[in-house]
Amino acid sequence: GAEEPGMEAEELPLGCGGGGEGGAAGRPPEAEERPDLSQASVSNGSDSESGKELVELKVIWNKNKYDVKFRLDSTGADLKQKIHSLTGLCCAASSCSPRSPAVGCACNLYSCLLGLPPAMQKVMFKGLLPEEKTLREIKVTNGAKIMVVGSTINDVLAVNTPKEAAQQEVKAEENKKEPLCRQKQHRKVLDKGKPDDVMPSVKGVQERLPTVPLSGMYNKSGGKVRLTFKLEQDQLWIGTKERTEKLPMGSIKNVVSEPIEGHEDYHMMAFQLGPTEASYYWVYWVPTQYVDAIKDTVLGKWQYF
């Protein structure tokens, strides 16, 4: 064990073997830099925001559910960005193995990473979620359900848009006809006058859907009708004295509306339930401030890019 004359201890460079600070003996240097892929799962939004008030949300998109902790003072636009990241990770899909896109997964890698862009999200909490307001301002509380409807860019490119084509055809037909409120089939209802218990209207203003059903309106037969928007089930309920029809939003092909002459602060509106005009379900005396919100909620308002 004695050193022979002329032999000196060779000085090892740092990082090789165990002489480097923080290194482990016999451990190759690349082992220190390799990330722990077992931790690359979906973040539920804890974000370790010390000193900031968080709220626990349940985000529901298609058949996926995400438990998220998010800052109360974040805006609706911030939440859309969070939803984009949640829906864009491989580990959001139960079929992915291993649970990290960095090393490949069992599902389609491109669509996994793509996610649901904010511009193509319809986020609902008591109506469409306003992007400019904070969660605190719209009174989001712990355990709130956030419903998300939307398609990835891959989904949009893979299918045509029959609803859009139907809307264009209906609009072209409307331009050829006289105003709806002058047509005989509608005059017999409109001539009854404005219902006494119809909801008040605000002309020149657009508002979100109210938290209560829209009531006090007439249907084509002159009976009272109310509209209830069940966002959790993605359904529109059309209720009369006799019965309530529960319609999936996706089954409604189009929504048309027109101001009532002499009462421009109210509209007559039709929901197209089939391929032709014969399937229109007419509702009269819809307050004008809710018309755009009804169309956006039923048909969606997407931006393609």
Side-chain angles (χ1 to χ4, degrees):
E3 293 182 356
E4 295 184 13
M7 294 185 64
E8 298 178 357
E10 185 177 349
E11 185 175 349
L12 294 175
L14 289 176
C16 297
E21 185 177 344
R27 186 178 180 182
E30 59 271 18
E32 297 180 16
E33 300 174 2
R34 187 180 299 122
D36 183 1
L37 296 179
S38 65
Q39 301 302 318
S41 60
V42 169
S43 168
N44 282 339
S46 59
D47 294 336
S48 51
E49 294 285 348
S50 58
K52 295 186 179 179
E53 191 173 356
L54 302 179
V55 64
E56 295 182 0
L57 309 173
K58 184 174 291 293
V59 178
I60 302 173
W61 174 57
N62 291 340
K63 295 182 180 180
N64 300 316
K65 296 182 180 180
Y66 309 92
D67 293 319
V68 179
K69 290 183 180 179
F70 208 62
R71 299 187 307 275
L72 259 180
D73 292 317
S74 296
T75 64
D78 296 331
L79 181 57
K80 283 189 171 185
Q81 290 292 345
K82 182 66 177 179
I83 292 171
H84 186 197
S85 65
L86 284 175
T87 57
L89 290 174
C90 273
C91 44
S94 59
S95 62
C96 292
S97 178
R99 299 174 65 79
S100 170
V103 292
C105 66
C107 58
N108 184 292
L109 181 61
Y110 177 71
S111 59
C112 272
L113 293 175
L114 194 57
L116 186 59
M120 299 176 69
Q121 296 176 22
K122 183 165 68 171
V123 182
M124 290 170 285
F125 174 74
K126 297 180 180 179
L128 287 177
L129 187 77
E131 292 191 0
E132 70 283 357
K133 292 188 178 181
T134 66
L135 304 189
R136 189 188 301 276
E137 289 174 326
I138 60 176
K139 296 181 173 52
V140 175
T141 57
N142 275 326
K145 289 184 178 180
I146 305 294
M147 309 297 298
V148 183
V149 179
S151 303
T152 65
I153 295 178
N154 270 2
D155 294 334
V156 172
L157 296 177
V159 298
N160 51 21
T161 55
K163 280 190 179 182
E164 186 176 331
Q167 290 180 59
Q168 291 175 353
E169 291 176 8
V170 170
K171 195 169 185 180
E173 288 296 321
E174 288 175 348
N175 292 334
K176 300 176 185 177
K177 298 179 180 179
E178 63 180 339
L180 293 170
C181 58
R182 296 182 189 175
Q183 295 177 17
K184 184 177 179 180
Q185 59 173 323
H186 303 302
R187 287 268 29 121
K188 63 181 182 180
V189 179
L190 295 175
D191 286 345
K192 294 178 65 174
K194 184 173 70 173
D196 294 333
D197 57 346
V198 72
M199 299 179 73
S201 66
V202 184
K203 191 175 180 180
V205 175
Q206 295 182 5
E207 294 185 7
R208 298 169 59 200
L209 291 175
T211 55
V212 297
L214 291 174
S215 60
M217 301 168 291
Y218 289 140
N219 59 17
K220 194 173 181 178
S221 63
K224 286 297 182 68
V225 64
R226 66 184 177 275
L227 302 177
T228 306
F229 295 87
K230 292 290 185 178
L231 302 180
E232 296 82 2
Q233 290 103 334
D234 201 29
Q235 292 180 347
L236 168 62
W237 291 11
I238 301 178
T240 62
K241 185 178 178 181
E242 294 78 20
R243 59 183 299 177
T244 297
E245 295 284 349
K246 300 179 180 181
L247 306 174
M249 300 282 193
S251 69
I252 301 174
K253 306 294 186 297
N254 194 25
V255 180
V256 298
S257 69
E258 181 183 285
I260 299 173
E261 283 186 345
H263 300 274
E264 281 73 15
D265 49 343
Y266 287 92
H267 280 227
M268 50 188 295
M269 176 176 285
F271 300 96
Q272 184 178 347
L273 308 181
T276 66
E277 290 186 14
S279 66
Y280 280 5
Y281 188 97
W282 287 97
V283 179
Y284 303 86
W285 304 101
V286 179
T288 186
Q289 69 267 27
Y290 300 128
V291 169
D292 286 339
I294 292 173
K295 291 181 178 180
D296 290 348
T297 301
V298 173
L299 299 176
K301 189 174 182 181
W302 312 121
Q303 300 176 15
Y304 301 100
F305 58 90

